Amino acid sequence: MYAKALATNGAKVYITGRRPEVLETSARLHGSAESLGPQGGTIVPLVLDVTSKDSITAAVDHIAATEGYVNM
C-alpha cells in the first residue's frame, strides 16, 4: 500500500521480491492507470533477493543506471 500511495502521488516506485510473476501481477494490478489516477506515477517490478548481497548490489546498480540515483 505504501508503493501505491507514493505512485498515486506521482512517484516512480520500484517494488522488489524474489518471484517475478508475483511482482508483475502486483505492478499490473496496483500500478494501472485506472488504479493510480491521472496524476499517477509508476510501479516498477524488480527481482531482488535480500539474502544475497550480489542481488542487492545488482538491483541498486540497475536503479542507479536507469534513474541516475537511488533514494533510500
Side-chain angles (χ1 to χ4, degrees):
M1 297 317 311
Y2 291 117
K4 186 174 179 180
L6 290 167
T8 298
N9 287 288
K12 182 175 187 179
V13 181
Y14 284 85
I15 57 171
T16 61
R18 292 180 297 132
R19 297 180 298 168
E21 62 280 353
V22 173
L23 293 170
E24 293 289 338
T25 299
S26 183
R28 185 174 55 255
L29 291 175
H30 301 291
S32 68
E34 297 82 25
S35 179
L36 298 179
Q39 303 299 321
T42 56
I43 296 177
V44 181
L46 180 63
V47 175
L48 168 68
D49 180 357
V50 298
T51 66
S52 166
K53 187 174 181 176
D54 290 338
S55 180
I56 295 167
T57 301
V60 170
D61 290 346
H62 172 78
I63 295 169
T66 303
E67 306 301 328
Y69 59 92
V70 175
N71 286 336
M72 292 192 223

